[in-house]
């Protein structure tokens, strides 16, 4: 069973702060890592993907991957109330389960003004 | 450029009935995956279609079946509905030649089974 674990939260930060979201995965064969944002009642929206160890930055978002520790994180700088949502971590393992995404339960983030 | 579309948006059925959900992938995508998301949970993989065939399947019973058409659109069928089938059903499309199989989700179909 391939597992993806996230702190369910809720995580609450003030506007302008850095929000840090964490995710661990069990399968060392995992090769692609994704962060989705899901507003209440809506479908997941892709924010970022990362394949290589290290950091990847896109605007206010930074994804960090450490394959040795089986850990991936998402940092949101200058958090805004509009960032309030559930953030889903997903991993994709090559081989027999090519293309199948395994999701965590999501971390609920609230950014208060 | 149209994104992933799904229909219907909402659906109410009773136990034992059958339902068909539809999905059109993003332009340029040829692979469709279906997920079930129960309230408070992450999406769970149902199956994936590529070249009109089921490429792989998650841990769902045979009551769940699907189809992919030559234009890459797809249907999800669920027979003998149970109360536990109430969930948000998500379709995701991707390109077989795309990097990392990045999947983009449609708006979903909210199914309620009474």
């Amino acid at each position: 069973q391939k597992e993806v674990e996230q702190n369910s939260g809720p995580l609450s930060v003030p506007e302008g702060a850095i929000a840090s979201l964490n995710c661990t995965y069990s399968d060392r064969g995992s090769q692609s890592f994704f962060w989705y944002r899901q507003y209440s009642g809506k479908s997941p929206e892709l924010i970022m993907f990362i394949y290589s160890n290290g950091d990847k930055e896109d605007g206010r978002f930074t994804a960090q991957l450490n394959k040795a520790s089986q850990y991936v994180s998402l940092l949101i700088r200058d958090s805004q109330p509009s960032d309030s949502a559930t953030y889903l971590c997903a991993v994709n393992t090559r081989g027999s389960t090519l293309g199948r995404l395994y999701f965590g339960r999501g971390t609920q983030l609230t950014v208060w003004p | 450029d149209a994104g992933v579309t799904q229909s219907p948006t909402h659906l109410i059925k009773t136990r034992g009935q059958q339902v068909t959900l539809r999905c059109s992938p993003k332009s340029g995508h040829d692979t469709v995956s279906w997920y079930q998301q129960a309230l408070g949970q992450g999406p769970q993989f149902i199956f994936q279609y590529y070249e009109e065939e089921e490429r792989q399947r998650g841990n769902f019973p045979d009551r769940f079946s699907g189809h992919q058409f030559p234009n890459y659109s797809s249907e999800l069928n669920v027979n003998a509905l149970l109360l536990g089938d109430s969930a948000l059903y998500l379709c995701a499309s991707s390109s077989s030649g795309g990097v990392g199989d990045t999947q983009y989700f449609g708006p979903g179909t909210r199914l309620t089974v009474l």
Side-chain angles (χ1 to χ4, degrees), chain B residues 45-74:
Chain B
F45 177 80
I46 302 175
F47 42 53
Q48 184 181 80
Y49 278 85
Y50 171 68
E51 292 187 338
E52 302 180 48
E53 291 190 357
E54 183 181 289
R55 184 156 71 174
Q56 59 173 303
R57 187 181 184 90
N59 189 26
F60 278 80
D62 292 343
R63 297 187 298 109
F64 289 77
S65 63
H67 188 77
Q68 185 178 36
F69 299 93
N71 67 352
Y72 308 120
S73 67
S74 177

Side-chain angles (χ1 to χ4, degrees), chain A residues 37-45 88, chain B residues 37 88 90 106-108 110:
Chain A
R37 176 175 63 197
Q38 187 172 28
Y39 292 113
S40 180
K42 303 296 185 181
S43 66
E45 172 193 10
L88 296 164
Chain B
Q37 186 177 24
L88 179 66
L90 297 162
R110 174 74 62 184

Side-chain angles (χ1 to χ4, degrees), chain A residues 2-3 9-10 14 34-36 48-49 56 59 86 90 95 100 106 109:
Chain A
K2 296 169 182 168
E3 296 183 350
F34 305 86
W35 283 99
Y36 289 86
M48 292 191 69
F49 55 86
K56 179 181 179 183
T86 295
R100 171 178 180 172
L109 172 66

Side-chain angles (χ1 to χ4, degrees), chain A residues 1-9 20-27 30 33-35 69-74 87-91 102-107, chain B residues 41-42 44:
Chain A
Q1 179 69 19
K2 296 169 182 168
E3 296 183 350
V4 178
E5 299 287 341
Q6 295 182 252
N7 291 330
S8 60
S20 178
L21 305 163
N22 305 317
C23 173
T24 59
Y25 57 95
S26 63
D27 189 350
S30 300
F33 306 86
F34 305 86
W35 283 99
S69 300
Q70 297 175 240
Y71 175 91
V72 58
S73 66
L74 180 70
Y87 289 79
L88 296 164
C89 172
V91 305
Y102 294 84
F103 282 86
R105 294 183 61 176
T107 297
Chain B
Q41 303 293 320
Q44 297 293 314

Side-chain angles (χ1 to χ4, degrees), chain A residues 9 16 18 23 28 31 34 38 51 60 83 90-91 95 99 105 107-108 110 112:
Chain A
I18 296 175
C23 173
R28 287 193 173 274
Q31 296 200 356
F34 305 86
Q38 187 172 28
Y51 312 127
R60 296 187 295 112
D83 294 327
V91 305
R105 294 183 61 176
T107 297
Q108 184 179 347
T110 299
W112 45 276

